[in-house]
Amino acid sequence: MSCATWSEYPIQSVEGGDLESWTFRTRTTQEEVKNDNQPEAAAESRIETRRMHEWARSCKARRGRHDRATWSYDKALAFHVLINHRDLHVNMSPSPPAINMARRNPTHLAPITLTNPTIPVGSLILVTGANGLNASNTIAVLLEAGYHVRGTVRSLHKCNYLTALFPASKFSLVEIPDVAEPGAWAEALKGVSGVIHCIGATDIFPSDVDAAAKDELKWQIDLLSTACDVGTIKSFVLTSSAWAAWTPDPSKKTTLTQSSWNEEAVTIARDKSIDPSKKGLAGYMALKTLVEQGIWDWVNRENPPFAFNALLLDTVIGSVLSPKDQGVPSTAGMVHWIYEGKHADMLNGVLPQWHINTGDAAKLYVAILASSPQVDRERIFGFGERFSFYRVKEILMKQFPDHETWAEVKDSGWDQTTVPIERGEELLRRVGQTTGWTGLEESVLENTRAWAELEGRGVTDDRYSTLN
């Protein structure tokens, strides 16, 4: 199998001598970036990314090298409980449409554009949880747009690799070991014009969901109150979850709106008559719901002097900013499980729903934060295209026809939920993405690049399986 198998866009094989043509379509040269009036630091970052991708694709494809995938213990345990205590196979949902293997031009990788931004280019933006999959990709987009970024992490020692990824003149890190500590956010918010808030509830199995929500709301509200006191904040974007709106169920036809809340999960989580082992992820979904509701209650009551919006993200799949440092994290790692032939029970525990590409999510954050006219007091659905892990497996099998070891992922049907995705598409157009949401196939193929880089670098399974 030639290394062209790794290529997301089949212009020609690398052996055919057209690698430069491929990279031209995905990453422009440093001179072209400068001629496009992009910041020099952003140009350097993009050139480094280009070199990384060229190098990764110069490696011959390998098989059977991986034994484990990146996934934190608590999430793995959560899906283990879900698959063992919920009927996942009885549904009346339709089958997904046939796969269209035709590639689009990689327009979502084009430089971000902002016209008359509500936050001037060059302003300082705070991104919380900077080492995360979504946050790190969003930082890259913010820097490319011309902003300065301050990121928060729990440990500078563990996350110091971020300072090598971004230009020191435009990016800095601040350590907040305990976000619940009184006054924890004061220093981080000094001089900041906008906030993209990427951290939130992590308690998968709260024994008392109302108590857990109350505890989290204390520090979430402290962040918002401190943002008000600073007096420089113009826009604040909260990361919420698709599960705060509904529980995926491919057997049901559901219509989501900005007023949709996952009351079903809240009811189950509060019901003391139900054995906790049979509640699956209802407690986690309920916690996401109650926290976002509590934050909106505060916003409606206090009317902060900045724009406030919530971005509800569904399953995030796509590129990883720095696989050698981050591994293949979160749901990106679950895609890799299919290729490895691992953790089928956990994969089958994720019912068909929607996905969003990592690049789309990053641009959507920036569009909500700073595009014109100003976005304010909205819940935006980050839902790009329907997905299931069965469909992901089909895409991978077409991409890697010689691969033999696959996870036994079951066909659990296809999502029937109607979601107001048009608003998100409009916001993406504002920042230069005119082709709409990135499709599932393209997102999956981007995801495979992380595997190629890790293999090419000789990173062992034991090394990257432990990264978060």
Side-chain angles (χ1 to χ4, degrees), residues 22 29 71 117 127 133 146 182 260 369 392 436 450-451:
W22 182 90
T29 65
W71 193 245
V127 179
L133 178 66
S260 295
L369 182 80
V392 170
W451 320 346

Side-chain angles (χ1 to χ4, degrees), residues 232-412:
T232 59
I233 309 296
K234 298 180 180 180
S235 182
F236 189 111
V237 184
L238 170 74
T239 303
S240 186
S241 168
W243 290 353
W246 107 120
T247 299
D249 186 342
S251 70
K252 297 179 180 179
K253 292 184 178 181
T254 306
T255 298
L256 300 182
T257 70
Q258 286 205 33
S259 301
S260 295
W261 296 101
N262 198 343
E263 300 296 350
E264 174 189 1
V266 174
T267 299
I268 294 172
R270 286 173 171 168
D271 192 338
K272 303 297 184 182
S273 69
I274 301 176
D275 187 328
S277 67
K278 298 186 182 298
K279 292 183 179 182
L281 291 176
Y284 180 69
M285 294 178 178
L287 181 56
K288 288 292 189 181
T289 304
L290 293 173
V291 168
E292 191 194 339
Q293 286 178 329
I295 291 174
W296 278 112
D297 287 344
W298 181 89
V299 169
N300 293 331
R301 182 177 65 253
E302 301 297 329
N303 192 27
F306 46 75
F308 179 86
N309 300 280
L311 175 57
L312 283 67
L313 294 176
D314 210 331
T315 310
V316 181
I317 299 174
S319 61
V320 178
L321 184 69
S322 181
K324 73 181 181 67
D325 298 304
Q326 297 171 296
V328 190
S330 190
T331 41
M334 296 185 78
V335 173
H336 194 199
W337 290 354
I338 299 173
Y339 182 84
E340 295 179 300
K342 302 292 181 65
H343 308 304
D345 283 353
M346 297 179 197
L347 291 165
N348 287 320
V350 182
L351 293 178
Q353 47 196 277
W354 289 66
H355 99 290
I356 183 171
N357 175 272
T358 51
D360 288 4
K363 285 189 175 181
L364 193 52
Y365 274 117
V366 178
I368 296 170
L369 182 80
S371 69
S372 182
Q374 188 172 64
V375 183
D376 192 17
R377 304 313 196 254
E378 293 187 42
R379 298 176 80 208
I380 310 295
F381 286 88
F383 289 47
E385 187 174 90
R386 290 178 176 88
F387 106 105
S388 70
F389 279 121
Y390 183 81
R391 178 65 169 272
V392 170
K393 180 179 177 180
E394 290 182 320
I395 294 170
L396 291 173
M397 290 179 74
K398 285 183 178 291
Q399 183 70 3
F400 303 106
D402 297 328
H403 186 66
E404 298 176 353
T405 304
W406 298 99
E408 293 295 326
V409 182
K410 298 177 181 179
D411 185 357
S412 298

